[in-house]
Amino acid sequence: MGMRLALLLCVLCLVVSHTHAHGSRRDLGRSSAEQAVSTSPTTCPAGLGSGNKLPLVHRLSPCSPLGSGARKPSLHETLHRDGLRLRYLSKVQQAAAAAPAPSPSATPASGLSVPATQNVISSLPGVYDYTVIAGYGTPAQPLPLYFDFSGMSNLRCKPCFSGGGAPCDLAFDPSRSSSFRSLTCGSPDCTELCSSTAPCAFTFQNSTFVFANGTVVTDTLTLSTSATFEAFAVGCLQLDNMFIGHDGVAIGNIDLSRSRHSLATRVLGSSPPGTAAFSYCLPADTDTHGFLTIAPTLSDYSNAAGVKYVPLVTNPSGPNFYYVDLVAIAINGNDLAFPPAEFRANGTMIDAQSAFTYLNPPIYAALRDEFRKAMAQYPPAPAFSDLDTCYNFTGVDKIYLPDITLRFGNGETMDLDDRQFMYFFREHLQDAFPFGCLAFGAAAEENFLGNLLGSQVQRTKEIVFDVLGSKVAFVPSRCGLR
Ligand SMILES: *[C@@H]1O[C@H](CO)[C@@H](O)[C@H](O)[C@H]1NC(C)=O
Ligand SMILES: *[C@@H]1O[C@H](CO)[C@@H](O)[C@H](O)[C@H]1NC(C)=O
Ligand SMILES: *[C@@H]1O[C@H](CO)[C@@H](O)[C@H](O)[C@H]1NC(C)=O
Ligand SMILES: *[C@@H]1O[C@H](CO)[C@@H](O)[C@H](O)[C@H]1NC(C)=O
């Protein structure tokens, strides 16, 4: 059958630039950069897709449910969200480290049973950047949802007890669905401690505050009119304080992690051999389109130009997350002086929700020092929170940036372009094009000292998650290049 969903993204992107190779350097035309964020008319997907298309939009896009009313986050807010994300990841890792290592045949620690989520889901406000319109229930109620690797899919459900960010009128209404089922405590999918006839209820809380509560339910998930998943389990949130301070675009998330209940796991269970779990493209420009594909056929990539395969590795400190085997970083062709073991020590996670890339602190310091040497001709600008390598480009016509290359354990390399490693501040300051920062920071969260590849560094490549084959493919030719 080969269910294949090519999902259109319309994206409002923060960095717009053309690059032209000049030997080992690039220049960034000021005039192209000054085109800034295009406001050209965009065709927005309306409601559920037909055929096998599922619309996916950036939350700042004119196509987002908040439309043009969506407030742009300041850089500080973006950084704050990344900080919260790191804290979340570190807590999940701590919890996993404290728990006995799951054996492969045992019930995996799904999002439904990750104890650390009690405190930490609340730490996620606004970290997600892309929403997808998916249907839940029969008939399908179209809902704006994030996609992430958090280990559990959640929806805000009616009746709503109190407001986080999402308005209750967007929430899922179980009473209007004929296929809605509540799980009971006795169900194997319910990991909560409760009596066997009661609904499978959960509460996320710390000692002083309840972030959310709800029940685990199942219903039909509809990605498009031709792709549905019956009895898809989600946390149906009654009390939802998780997204306080969030823009309130989405009413939940679809989990694509390795968790037993994730959509990725479900897709793999029902797909023919030779199928990847999913792929996505996060384009770097406003006027290029990206996509999310569920269950893409692997042979489709064998002839794609520039495709590179990198092993996906598992990491006991985050068994539901996706890690790659990063072993070196080169700047202008010279590897930073760290052995592969140093890069591998705490792993390199791929995360679609943090904006920037975070490195183990000594590795980041070495990259920063080399970058500063290569950028010595430009006046520095003040640091902004986690981004401490910033420049004042006022009056500069062309910016010459060093090359940055990621090297992986199987010998593959990824050359980053400036749209992947530079963050320009057009959006946040009055000036047209005054500042830019290296979009990398130190993973300074005390329990997250590994590396994390954020969404910006993944832009311009289609990223194919071949979970069964334990590899991830980076496909530059199919992702939003102009
Ligand atoms: C519980 O979480 C709330 C909200 O984030 C926070 O204000 C409070 O300090 C936390 N309590 C403890 C004991 O950590
Ligand atoms: C969630 O909290 C509200 C308000 O305290 C309560 O009325 C409701 O029963 C709780 N729901 C669950 C599933 O625990
Ligand atoms: C950036 O440089 C311009 C031109 O030299 C200067 O006028 C401006 O004050 C600088 N801005 C900051 C924040 O340093
Ligand atoms: C790995 O993380 C632990 C804490 O989680 C830290 O103590 C250790 O220094 C880290 N290793 C490296 C090489 O950064």
Side-chain angles (χ1 to χ4, degrees):
M1 63 148 216
M3 177 186 54
R4 176 147 214 257
L5 306 175
L7 309 171
L8 281 183
L9 260 181
C10 49
V11 163
L12 182 71
C13 168
L14 296 177
V15 177
V16 181
S17 59
H18 291 286
T19 59
H20 314 275
H22 280 280
S24 66
R25 302 191 141 186
R26 300 181 187 88
D27 67 308
L28 190 71
R30 190 178 179 218
S31 59
S32 68
E34 279 179 345
Q35 287 164 5
V37 174
S38 148
T39 51
S40 59
T42 319
T43 312
C44 296
L48 282 177
S50 59
N52 58 2
K53 303 262 184 190
L54 176 62
L56 177 72
V57 300
H58 191 284
R59 75 192 172 88
L60 298 179
S61 161
C63 301
S64 106
L66 281 195
S68 50
R71 189 177 60 86
K72 293 185 178 75
S74 68
L75 176 66
H76 190 76
E77 288 170 309
T78 302
L79 291 165
H80 181 61
R81 292 206 309 266
D82 274 10
L84 292 173
R85 178 70 180 168
L86 288 186
R87 202 171 314 144
Y88 165 77
L89 294 171
S90 99
K91 286 191 177 168
V92 169
Q93 291 205 332
Q94 264 177 290
S103 73
S105 59
T107 302
S110 72
L112 302 180
S113 63
V114 173
T117 54
Q118 290 173 354
N119 294 329
V120 297
I121 284 187
S122 69
S123 301
L124 290 175
V127 296
Y128 308 109
D129 271 351
Y130 297 91
T131 56
V132 64
I133 308 287
Y136 200 61
T138 307
Q141 299 174 35
L143 306 168
L145 303 174
Y146 305 116
F147 73 90
D148 68 14
F149 306 143
S150 64
M152 179 175 185
S153 301
N154 292 292
L155 301 179
R156 186 155 207 221
C157 288
K158 292 179 181 174
C160 306
F161 277 93
S162 74
C168 191
D169 55 5
L170 293 179
F172 173 66
D173 186 351
S175 71
R176 291 200 290 117
S177 172
S178 62
S179 47
F180 178 84
R181 299 283 178 275
S182 269
L183 291 188
T184 55
C185 291
S187 155
D189 286 339
C190 181
T191 57
E192 304 303 313
L193 292 172
C194 49
S195 70
S196 65
T197 55
C200 179
F202 60 87
T203 301
F204 299 146
Q205 63 189 357
N206 66 14
S207 56
T208 58
F209 189 68
V210 176
F211 300 112
N213 73 18
T215 56
V216 182
V217 305
T218 65
D219 209 331
T220 303
L221 177 71
T222 302
L223 295 185
S224 80
T225 47
S226 62
T228 60
F229 297 86
E230 283 174 21
F232 186 75
V234 305
C236 195
L237 304 178
Q238 295 181 341
L239 182 71
D240 179 7
N241 290 316
M242 295 202 298
F243 294 106
I244 284 177
H246 181 258
D247 291 342
V249 178
I251 62 106
N253 67 291
I254 293 183
D255 172 36
L256 288 171
S257 75
R258 295 178 188 268
S259 147
R260 184 159 70 107
H261 296 285
S262 86
L263 179 59
T265 301
R266 184 72 182 261
V267 163
L268 288 174
S270 61
S271 299
T275 306
F278 62 94
S279 76
Y280 55 74
C281 153
L282 307 176
D285 297 326
T286 327
D287 51 354
T288 53
H289 285 207
F291 50 84
L292 170 66
T293 307
I294 299 293
T297 302
L298 284 165
S299 60
D300 283 357
Y301 299 98
S302 34
N303 294 321
V307 60
K308 292 185 174 182
Y309 292 93
V310 165
L312 266 183
V313 291
T314 51
N315 188 313
S317 40
N320 285 339
F321 296 113
Y322 298 105
Y323 288 83
V324 289
D325 187 28
L326 180 72
V327 296
I329 297 178
I331 178 162
N332 280 337
N334 300 316
D335 283 0
L336 301 175
F338 293 95
E342 203 77 17
F343 283 88
R344 287 171 167 150
N346 284 319
T348 300
M349 181 188 289
I350 300 188
D351 185 43
Q353 308 312 331
S354 301
F356 303 123
T357 288
Y358 294 87
L359 299 174
N360 179 249
I363 297 176
Y364 172 69
L367 174 68
R368 177 198 61 203
D369 292 349
E370 290 304 315
F371 189 84
R372 286 181 179 167
K373 279 185 213 162
M375 298 288 282
Q377 62 179 303
Y378 303 108
F384 279 83
S385 190
D386 292 351
L387 301 187
D388 64 0
T389 300
C390 302
Y391 297 91
N392 181 348
F393 293 126
T394 305
V396 175
D397 280 337
K398 286 181 190 268
I399 303 168
Y400 292 89
L401 297 167
D403 288 321
I404 300 181
T405 302
L406 307 184
R407 293 190 202 286
F408 297 91
N410 65 339
E412 284 294 4
T413 58
M414 191 203 287
D415 295 324
L416 305 184
D417 75 30
D418 59 275
R419 294 170 296 182
Q420 294 171 283
F421 70 74
M422 285 299 287
Y423 188 77
F424 292 106
F425 288 2
R426 269 187 317 282
E427 288 297 287
H428 307 288
L429 301 174
Q430 295 306 313
D431 317 66
F433 184 47
F435 294 118
C437 293
L438 178 63
F440 283 50
E445 188 59 38
E446 99 186 76
N447 292 299
F448 189 91
L449 292 172
N451 308 307
L452 181 148
L453 304 181
S455 60
Q456 181 168 342
V457 84
Q458 299 175 54
R459 299 196 306 198
T460 76
K461 313 271 193 293
E462 179 180 352
I463 316 234
V464 186
F465 288 79
D466 178 8
V467 177
L468 289 183
S470 287
K471 58 185 186 299
V472 63
F474 296 95
V475 190
S477 51
R478 296 195 180 183
C479 184
L481 291 182
R482 293 188 295 183

